[in-house]
């Protein structure tokens, strides 16, 4: 019976003109980023199958404190958070990945209407959804394979939810520059705002963001000794080679993680180690020696700046 609800939902309207104009294709998006100055790529492209696996490895690294710290916070406060969520909620997790931390909440929420993990990496999403469904046999698990930065519709649960709660842990909000973070939070507000005038209570958001700290600690968290983050960063080029027939030479780029105090963020970059050109989707992109591609911004907040 769980199997039945484990069909991934594809966003409807993907074919419509409206959807197309709202969402540029992979080629368009990648090319416009690489033709911009400075060059950039969306961190969304990290998460192919290999990238999702590498990210799970990052979460276990001694230098990467974020996952451990957030897990500790959830362990300590899951009961209190669950009490605030209340019964019969629809729990929607954006960028659910391996759904590891979610279990801490699910353990305290035996009466959820359903759990909706949303992730862009289909195989990763489905594996995690099956594991959750096996571990929580009474829970309806409704995976949605979608890029949560673009419009997608929530699957319908068998039970009518009392409210929608968005779960957005992991400091993923840090990948969005402040104006985009505000836009995304408006989208989340729309997701949790009750549409029915009667019966449904207002929804909520459980969000994890990372705090400013010693730049040395930050730079190490994004440039670990084992080189897993470097591999994760470079994998984006492999992804583009495979999916767009690009000709990136992974040996000719190196990983860099740089704290930028003015913007209160870590910038993940790939630095071209030489003057070179790369073919991608019929275009030729030229790189100077030491020229960066910015692949990710990881914003760090204070409680006040986040509020
Ligand atoms: C998944 C966006 C939270 O910014 O810390 C980890 C991604 N990049 N190491 C982060 C990431 C490099 C991570 N987020």
């Amino acid at each position: 019976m769980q199997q039945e609800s484990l069909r991934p939902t594809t966003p409807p309207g993907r074919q419509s003109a409206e959807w197309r104009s709202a969402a540029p294709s992979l080629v368009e998006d990648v090319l416009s980023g690489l033709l911009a100055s400075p060059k950039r790529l969306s961190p969304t492209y990290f998460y192919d199958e290999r990238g999702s696996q590498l990210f799970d490895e990052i979460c276990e690294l001694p230098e990467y404190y974020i996952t451990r710290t957030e897990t500790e916070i959830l362990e300590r406060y899951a009961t209190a958070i669950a009490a605030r969520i209340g019964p019969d909620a629809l729990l929607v997790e954006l960028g659910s990945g391996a759904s590891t931390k979610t279990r801490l909440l699910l353990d305290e929420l035996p009466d959820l209407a359903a759990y909706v993990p949303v992730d862009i990496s289909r195989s990763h999403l489905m594996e995690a959804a099956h594991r959750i469904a096996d571990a929580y046999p009474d829970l309806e698990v409704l995976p949605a394979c979608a890029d949560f930065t673009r419009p997608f519709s929530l699957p319908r649960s068998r039970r009518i939810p009392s409210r929608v709660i968005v779960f957005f842990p992991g400091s993923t909000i840090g990948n969005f520059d402040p104006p985009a973070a505000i836009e995304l939070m408006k989208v989340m507000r729309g997701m949790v705002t009750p549409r029915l005038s009667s019966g449904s209570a207002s929804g909520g958001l459980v969000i994890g963001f990372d705090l400013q700290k010693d730049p040395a600690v930050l730079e190490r968290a994004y440039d670990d000794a084992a080189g897993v983050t470097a591999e994760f960063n470079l994998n984006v080029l492999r992804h583009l080679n495979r999916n767009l027939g690009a000709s990136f030479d992974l040996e000719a780029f190196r990983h860099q993680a740089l704290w930028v105090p003015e913007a209160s963020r870590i910038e993940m970059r790939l630095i071209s180690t030489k003057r070179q050109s790369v073919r991608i989707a019929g275009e030729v992109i030229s790189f100077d020696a030491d020229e960066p591609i910015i692949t990710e911004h990881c914003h760090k907040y204070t409680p006040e700046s986040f509020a």
Side-chain angles (χ1 to χ4, degrees):
M1 139 220 119
Q2 295 301 333
Q3 305 313 92
E4 198 186 318
S5 45
L6 275 175
R7 274 189 311 255
T9 53
T10 304
R14 223 193 230 295
Q15 258 66 48
S16 76
E18 194 189 351
W19 184 275
R20 270 201 305 274
S21 63
S25 68
L26 173 68
V27 194
E28 286 165 334
D29 189 46
V30 166
L31 282 182
S32 74
L34 292 178
L35 291 167
S37 172
K39 295 179 168 60
R40 52 185 159 70
L41 285 170
S42 162
T44 304
Y45 305 129
F46 286 138
Y47 300 96
D48 63 356
E49 219 174 304
R50 171 107 181 102
S52 296
Q53 275 162 11
L54 285 165
F55 181 68
D56 288 347
E57 275 179 52
I58 288 175
C59 293
E60 311 266 311
L61 292 170
E63 296 96 331
Y64 194 73
Y65 58 87
I66 295 184
T67 312
R68 250 189 334 273
T69 308
E70 191 175 49
T71 300
E72 279 168 30
I73 293 170
L74 281 171
E75 277 166 354
R76 191 170 315 161
Y77 294 103
T79 313
I81 294 170
R84 290 290 290 271
I85 291 174
D88 304 308
L90 186 76
L91 186 70
V92 180
E93 180 171 4
L94 303 181
S96 50
S99 293
T100 311
K101 281 177 263 190
T102 324
R103 290 166 176 255
L104 296 167
L105 275 187
L106 294 179
D107 287 343
E108 303 295 327
L109 290 166
D111 43 16
L112 274 187
Y115 169 53
V116 180
V118 181
D119 204 276
I120 194 166
S121 171
R122 183 174 296 263
S123 56
H124 214 61
L125 170 74
M126 294 311 289
E127 266 171 48
H130 278 285
R131 278 197 306 268
I132 294 290
D134 287 344
Y136 300 85
D138 296 330
L139 178 66
E140 188 177 20
V141 180
L142 294 164
C145 185
D147 174 352
F148 63 77
T149 64
R150 294 173 179 184
F152 72 98
S153 56
L154 286 179
R156 208 178 282 273
S157 56
R158 281 193 300 265
R159 279 167 59 195
I160 296 172
S162 59
R163 51 161 64 84
V164 177
I165 302 289
V166 167
F167 183 42
F168 196 39
S171 183
T172 307
I173 192 72
N175 272 181
F176 297 80
D177 292 348
I182 290 169
E183 279 315 301
L184 181 59
M185 291 188 75
K186 286 180 181 167
V187 171
M188 293 192 265
R189 180 176 63 194
M191 291 174 70
V192 306
T193 300
R195 276 159 208 82
L196 306 167
S197 48
S198 65
S200 54
S202 63
L205 169 65
V206 182
I207 190 166
F209 61 93
D210 192 19
L211 297 176
Q212 291 168 7
K213 53 185 63 64
D214 181 353
V217 172
L218 287 169
E219 288 185 348
R220 256 184 279 127
Y222 291 90
D223 192 5
D224 60 282
V228 182
T229 308
E231 184 61 27
F232 172 75
N233 198 5
L234 284 160
N235 180 63
V236 77
L237 301 182
R238 197 179 285 128
H239 184 180
L240 298 182
N241 283 351
R242 195 180 47 244
N243 285 295
L244 291 180
S247 67
F248 285 103
D249 173 5
L250 271 65
E251 305 280 287
F253 289 85
R254 69 179 169 83
H255 167 69
Q256 184 188 45
L258 190 71
W259 172 246
V260 181
E262 309 80 65
S264 192
R265 69 188 178 213
I266 285 281
E267 288 189 13
M268 290 244 297
R269 300 158 164 210
L270 290 167
I271 311 288
S272 176
T273 57
K274 58 179 190 194
R275 208 182 152 83
Q276 58 180 320
S277 33
V278 174
R279 278 177 298 102
I280 178 162
E283 294 275 339
V284 175
I285 310 285
S286 308
F287 290 86
D288 284 332
D290 299 321
E291 185 178 350
I293 310 175
I294 297 167
T295 52
E296 189 176 41
H297 287 165
C298 310
H299 288 266
K300 306 300 170 182
Y301 289 94
T302 63
E304 296 73 31
S305 67
F306 191 75

